[in-house]
Structures are given as C-alpha cells and as structure tokens.
Amino acid sequence: MRLFHFAAPNTFYPLAGKLAPWFFGLAAVLCVIGLYIGFFVAPTDFQQSEAYRIIFIHVPSAWMAMFLYVVMAFWAGIGLAFNTRLSSMMATAIAPTGALMAFLALWTGALWGKPMWGTWWVWDARLTSTLILLFLYIGFMSLQAAIDDPRRADKAGAVIALVGVINVPIIYFSVKWWNTLHQGASVSLTKSPSMAATMLTGMLIMALAFWMYSIGAVLVRVRAVILERERRADWVRQAVRG
Amino acid sequence: MKWASLSDFLAMGGYGTFVWGSYAVAALVVAAELVLVAHRFRAARAAAARAPEPLPERD
C-alpha cells in the first residue's frame, strides 16, 4: 500500500469528494439517533430537571473544539516541518469548523449557566480558556487571511497553531487545577461515568455525530482550498472542465 | 413516552428557552457553515474553470 499516495492534492481532491457525502450521511443518522435518545429515552435529571439536555450538544461541541485544534496544530506543524502542501491546506480547512465548535460550546454553556449558576458568564478557568481557544482559531484565520502569499500564510499560521496548542491541556485540566464554577468531568478515562447510562449513550452518539459532521465539512472546505491554491495546475483544469 | 404533551415537551420543565435556544443556534450555525462551505467550493471551482493556461510543472 502506498501510504503517501493520497498526500498529494491531486489524489486527495477526488478522494475527499467521494468521502464527504458519507460523513454527512453518517452525521445525520447519528444525530437523529442521539437526539432521540437524548430527548425521549434519557431520564429527567434529579438535580437539573430538563435543563441538563443541553449536554447533548454542549459536551460534543466542546470536545470537538479541543480535538480539532490539536488536529489543526498537527497538520500545521507537519506543513511547517516538511513543507507539504496538503498538510497546511488541512490546517486552513479545519480552523473555521473548530471556531464554530468553540463558539457553540460557549453559547450552549452560557444558556446552561444562566439557569444553573444564575449567570451567563464567569471568568472561571474553564470558560476563560475556552474563550481563548475561540480567539486562537480566529487569530489563526485572520493571520492567514492577512498574508497574500499562501505559503507564508501557512508558516505564520503554524506558529500560532503550535504555540496555542498548550491551551488545550489547560482547558482539559482546568476543572482539576483550579477551583472552578464549572463542574468536573462527567466522563473520564480513569473513573466510571457519573451519569445515567442512557444520558451517556446519547451524549457519546452526539459526539460521534459532531465528529462525522466536522470531517465532512473539513473535506469539502479542503477541496475548495485546493482549488483556490492550485487553480493553475494541469490536473485542476482537467478536474473542473471534465 | 416521558412527555405528557407537545407543550410539555416544548416547555422542558420550564427551561425551554435555554434548551431550545441552545439547539436552535446550533442548528443555525451548522446550516450556515454548510451553505458557506458549499458556496466557497462552487466559487473556487468556477474560478478554476476560468483560470488562464496552466503554468509549466514546477515540482
């Protein structure tokens, strides 16, 4: 198997086009199942009543925001180290979806915080570090947009992405390291989950749905980025003119 | 079925504004991203189709 066969834009472009609809389809199916479990199977919470049902989008979007940042920094770093075109294009394509997830985590968190804590926002370690994550995504995108030469934009963006990756473990461990208003992890690798099994199932299925959606959106966007940057290449002419 | 009626479901135990406000905005931004990314792809494809003669291979 040629591992790097799809590492070139001209081979990855058609592959991404074939895969994207499958990821969107999977995302839609998982979303329907996850929301059905979340709203019709999972019980009312004994402390938070029905307000806790925000969890089915809050936790998946927060996880995706952190995960996508690490993936973005990974590809940006590979692009910086090995000067591989597609890696940097992947980083560029991931950033807007990551920013969307960070925004959703903050938005749903505010709408959950208001009824439970009595406030939309506090400068708590978890909330503040997640806001910084959103700013890192926006900074990465603005910096790349401000530099005309794409290869220089890649390099500058990679520096932000790599420096900012330190923020991800800070977000993750913030509820342990500081005394935060935000509750501790409901799901962790070392303890059994502190929530009802059906709640957990619904949340994990929604997390998978968000995952599939993000992959689909990034694949379509990376196709657009490939075309934007390589429009003069011979294979692009053949691909777009049929 | 745990909900007695549709209005019971929509009320979400009194937290309807917060729960549906979360889900509505999530649906909205996801829909917006899908529209924007599809538009960006179509625009890039159209621009590539209009692009001048290709440069010689550099690699």
Side-chain angles (χ1 to χ4, degrees), chain A residues 188-220:
Chain A
S188 83
L189 297 173
T190 48
K191 301 192 301 269
S192 59
S194 59
M195 59 199 290
T198 46
M199 291 180 189
L200 180 68
T201 309
M203 195 180 84
L204 293 179
I205 291 175
M206 285 304 285
L208 268 179
F210 273 54
W211 207 327
M212 297 300 120
Y213 166 79
S214 302
I215 296 174
V218 167
L219 286 178
V220 178

Side-chain angles (χ1 to χ4, degrees), chain A residues 13 24 35 39-40 42 44 49-51 53-54 56-57 97 100 104 107-108 111 114-115 213 221 223-225 227-228 231-232 234 236-237 240-241, chain B residues 1-3 9 12-13 15 17-23 25-26 29-30 33-34 37 40-41 44-45 47-55 57 59:
Chain A
Y13 176 83
F24 284 131
L35 289 180
F39 281 95
F40 298 103
T44 302
S49 172
E50 313 298 351
R53 292 184 198 275
I54 295 171
F56 300 113
I57 44 177
T97 302
L100 180 152
L104 273 186
W107 175 267
T108 56
L111 265 77
K114 185 63 182 169
Y213 166 79
R221 193 178 291 108
R223 267 162 71 84
V225 174
L227 290 181
E228 285 161 9
R231 67 176 57 141
R232 282 159 176 270
D234 212 23
V236 170
R237 269 166 73 81
V240 298
R241 294 180 192 182
Chain B
M1 184 67 78
K2 69 181 298 309
W3 309 100
F9 178 67
M12 278 290 140
Y15 297 108
T17 318
F18 303 105
V19 174
W20 300 123
S22 298
Y23 281 86
V25 170
V29 294
V30 164
E33 182 182 34
L34 288 174
V37 84
R40 181 171 177 179
F41 175 70
R45 197 171 51 186
R50 287 193 308 270
E53 286 298 302
L55 298 173
E57 284 287 328
D59 295 310

